[in-house]
Amino acid sequence: MLLVLPQFPDYSISINLFTNCNYKGTTQALTSCSVEQAPRAFIKASNIYSTSHLLCAIYKSFIEYKYNRLRTKNLSTEVILSLYSSSNISEAFKQFGVNSDSVDTDNIIVLQIFNNKKSESYDANTNAYGIDNTLLFEILGKNSENLEFNDANLIKIRDISMIKKIYKIKHENSTNNDQIERCIINSIQLRGL
Amino acid sequence: MIDDIIKGVEDYLTPNIPVKLISQGAEALVFETNVHPYNPYTTASNASYIIKYRPAKKYRHPSIDQALTKHRTLTEGRLLSKLSNIPGINVPQLICCDPYNGYIWQAKVGCVLPNGTFSNLKNYLWYQKNIDPFDEDKIVKVLVSVGRQIGILHCNDYVHGDLTSSNILLDNNTSSGTNSANEWSPYLIDFGLSSYSTMPEDKGVDLYVLERAILSTHSLFAEKYNQWLLQGYKQAYCEMSLGKDDKERYTKLEQVLKRFEEVRLRGRKRSMIG
Ligand SMILES: Nc1ncnc2c1ncn2[C@@H]1O[C@H](COP(=O)(O)OP(=O)(O)OP(=O)(O)O)[C@@H](O)[C@H]1O
Ligand SMILES: [Mg+2]
């Protein structure tokens, strides 16, 4: 999916959900499949509760980028920090990032945020930069399947007990789905402030 | 002056987020929009979101002003978060915040009453009293449930800090489970001055502020209204004390009520000296 946040119209956000991944990335491969104008972030999809969960972290990253400061390399990687409930960057990457030791990661979200003005070479058909898609599939595995990023697909793959652990959601607050999502959004929006 | 501030808000939000100004208070401007800040899936045509903006105050030193704005915005955000985890308390959902610029987005609660006014407690009391002066049942129900909200808040050692009858909104949404149509759920809003406090004094002041608000807008019926509020307040304390530490909870209630009485007396003296 290709998305523009209403408040930040100069940027496009591409979000792709892949399942059945047979992850073979090395740090080097990951780095080389990011182009400078549109760095990629690889996110553990099973730790994403809903579309609002990820989108709320993206919004927060934009606020930090525009009005405060980034704590990571770029907007895409900043989303991984924003997703986490504390400001510990290495923990955040361990929980939400896909790294060279994430061999058991079946479901991966590939995120790219780029400035529309600087990115003429963007290919809307593939929702990603054409130049390195081959490499992308090498990393994700030949059998990986691109699903639409929506709530219905996330529900199928999310790991609720893990998510509750990450956000320290207590039992009494997990009685209904709205309340879980609400707890997640609260902690993302207020983290580090 | 105000036009400049609104222009600044529109610039910040861009033309993609059209807003309508709905309130201009002492501290903040409140806008409404139907555009969700980050999730396009939830942008339904009838959805509505509240944007509260605390503009810079020219008479304060810029750096103090910025720190204060950030502090108030964050306080409000934190309270919306903390209170949403306490069973029985209703607050609007936090959607996002930008403390650097003084913006906070929240879900909209409340609705327009048949007489055209917005459903805060103050307007509701006017409205209900006028349509049916002899039917007090509805008012009793609402005021007792408002009292319960405040009771639960205080039992959990949070104080509101600006508990007026326009900072209590009534919502009649039927989607929240047990609520049948025509039943009002009270929601607390406006937490910029709220805090965590175990002091009976702070709670007494909350109760006093609300009592004064009722007294000044509904003087004829104020005594009854305040009784019903207190009835709900006490109810909450009793319910919360079920099971454990009965005695302690009960003394806590007594302490607050005693302070409330003292605050009231101080207030009366002050107004006599004038
Ligand atoms: N979540 C909400 N849903 C619906 N209406 C809201 C919401 N938040 C604020 N409002 C409206 O905006 C008004 C002002 O909001 P709020 O009390 O938070 O701001 P304020 O500037 O501190 O107000 P004041 O100084 O008048 O107390 C409310 O009385 C209410 O009518
Ligand atoms: Mg107010």
Side-chain angles (χ1 to χ4, degrees):
Chain A
M1 136 162 129
L2 191 62
L3 175 89
V4 175
L5 296 184
Q7 205 181 322
F8 307 101
D10 294 344
Y11 291 83
S12 292
I13 302 155
S14 135
I15 306 175
N16 280 283
L17 173 61
F18 292 92
T19 185
N20 271 329
C21 300
N22 179 12
Y23 181 78
K24 290 219 188 58
T26 59
T27 313
Q28 199 198 353
L30 285 180
T31 319
S32 52
C33 96
S34 276
V35 284
E36 201 196 320
Q37 306 96 312
R40 281 194 169 107
F42 292 76
I43 297 168
K44 246 179 236 160
S46 59
N47 288 348
I48 301 299
Y49 188 76
S50 61
T51 52
S52 277
H53 179 186
L54 180 61
L55 294 169
C56 148
I58 294 174
Y59 181 86
K60 174 164 177 126
S61 302
F62 271 100
I63 295 289
E64 290 298 318
Y65 174 62
K66 228 177 147 180
Y67 303 114
N68 191 32
R69 67 194 162 91
L70 286 184
R71 266 163 259 233
T72 64
K73 270 187 300 192
N74 55 56
L75 258 172
S76 299
T77 50
E78 188 76 9
V79 173
I80 293 178
L81 176 60
S82 295
L83 278 168
Y84 198 47
S85 54
S86 93
S87 299
N88 184 328
I89 296 181
S90 67
E91 271 302 306
F93 277 80
K94 214 153 95 195
Q95 291 290 6
F96 284 99
V98 176
N99 357 66
S100 34
D101 52 79
S102 310
V103 276
D104 55 346
T105 311
D106 288 342
N107 305 299
I108 295 175
I109 288 170
V110 181
L111 171 78
Q112 272 182 307
I113 302 178
F114 49 92
N115 191 320
N116 298 327
K117 290 177 187 147
K118 291 187 192 149
S119 309
E120 299 89 9
S121 57
Y122 180 75
D123 178 356
N125 290 325
T126 55
N127 269 2
Y129 271 80
I131 41 171
D132 46 31
N133 268 359
T134 346
L135 184 56
L136 180 64
F137 276 97
E138 252 168 54
I139 292 171
L140 297 176
K142 296 274 180 284
N143 295 327
S144 64
E145 202 187 324
N146 194 343
L147 302 181
E148 195 183 331
F149 174 73
N150 59 29
D151 285 323
N153 282 330
L154 288 173
I155 285 171
K156 284 186 239 157
I157 58 178
R158 68 187 180 192
D159 179 349
I160 293 189
S161 61
M162 189 63 198
I163 294 171
K164 286 206 272 197
K165 214 161 102 189
I166 294 172
Y167 291 98
K168 303 186 177 72
I169 296 172
K170 293 198 209 85
H171 183 66
E172 62 264 30
N173 291 320
S174 56
T175 43
N176 72 59
N177 296 341
D178 287 354
Q179 190 58 26
I180 296 177
E181 184 174 279
R182 193 169 176 174
C183 288
I184 295 172
I185 289 173
N186 285 339
S187 71
I188 289 177
Q189 286 302 316
L190 298 167
R191 180 198 53 79
L193 293 168
Chain B
M1 183 48 201
I2 180 74
D3 289 345
D4 289 348
I5 298 177
I6 294 175
K7 174 83 175 32
V9 171
E10 287 168 349
D11 285 349
Y12 170 88
L13 292 171
T14 83
N16 296 329
I17 305 176
V19 288
K20 197 175 94 197
L21 180 68
I22 59 165
S23 154
Q24 187 188 341
E27 208 209 345
L29 300 184
V30 177
F31 300 86
E32 191 176 339
T33 181
N34 59 1
V35 179
H36 193 282
Y38 49 81
N39 199 339
Y41 295 114
T42 58
T43 305
S45 56
N46 60 347
S48 222
Y49 311 99
I50 294 291
I51 306 170
K52 183 168 174 179
Y53 171 60
R54 292 178 165 82
K57 296 251 194 271
K58 293 276 153 53
Y59 57 81
R60 293 197 292 236
H61 187 280
S63 65
I64 294 174
D65 183 67
Q66 216 181 8
L68 206 61
T69 298
K70 186 175 173 190
H71 178 77
R72 296 255 167 89
T73 309
L74 271 180
T75 301
E76 179 143 63
R78 286 196 183 114
L79 263 287
L80 289 177
S81 167
K82 293 249 164 66
L83 298 182
S84 77
N85 282 331
I86 298 176
I89 294 194
N90 303 321
V91 294
Q93 179 165 2
L94 172 70
I95 297 173
C96 57
C97 66
D98 172 3
Y100 311 111
N101 295 292
Y103 287 87
I104 188 161
W105 290 60
Q106 34 184 288
K108 186 188 172 173
V109 297
C111 60
V112 177
L113 296 167
N115 70 358
T117 62
F118 186 64
S119 64
N120 63 31
L121 179 62
K122 180 169 149 184
N123 293 337
Y124 174 81
L125 290 174
W126 282 116
Y127 158 74
Q128 188 59 40
K129 195 179 63 200
N130 284 334
I131 56 161
D132 207 346
F134 301 108
D135 176 13
E136 286 182 338
D137 282 6
K138 286 188 176 131
I139 292 189
V140 176
K141 227 177 180 172
V142 163
L143 287 172
V144 169
S145 70
V146 167
R148 287 191 75 246
Q149 280 292 304
I150 302 160
I152 303 174
L153 183 78
H154 285 181
C155 265
N156 285 279
D157 286 331
Y158 287 98
V159 291
H160 185 281
D162 186 18
L163 199 53
T164 61
S165 49
S166 46
N167 285 339
I168 298 165
L169 306 184
L170 301 174
D171 197 90
N172 64 351
N173 77 328
T174 44
S175 63
S176 64
T178 52
N179 242 19
S180 65
N182 286 327
E183 279 227 13
W184 294 102
S185 314
Y187 278 69
L188 300 176
I189 61 160
D190 197 359
F191 295 102
L193 298 172
S194 307
S195 60
Y196 181 83
S197 169
T198 55
M199 310 247 290
E201 167 81 15
D202 293 335
K203 295 167 190 175
V205 170
D206 257 3
L207 291 177
Y208 179 66
V209 169
L210 184 58
E211 184 179 80
R212 293 299 306 175
I214 300 280
L215 212 64
S216 66
T217 44
H218 310 279
S219 52
L220 226 46
F221 304 88
E223 201 172 324
K224 264 196 272 181
Y225 289 178
N226 284 319
Q227 258 167 26
W228 293 327
L229 282 169
L230 268 186
Q231 185 189 326
Y233 186 82
K234 290 175 187 167
Q235 240 175 50
Y237 264 78
C238 293
E239 280 163 30
M240 305 289 284
S241 71
L242 283 180
K244 52 179 180 182
D245 289 342
D246 269 32
K247 221 171 147 191
E248 192 202 343
R249 289 279 195 201
Y250 189 67
T251 17
K252 273 190 173 168
L253 174 63
E254 298 279 276
Q255 282 172 348
V256 175
L257 295 179
K258 193 165 146 264
R259 278 309 174 116
F260 178 27
E261 189 55 43
E262 287 169 20
V263 176
R264 212 190 248 146
L265 282 175
R266 286 205 309 259
R268 212 169 285 154
K269 261 189 218 144
R270 208 176 301 132
S271 67
M272 265 159 40
I273 297 164

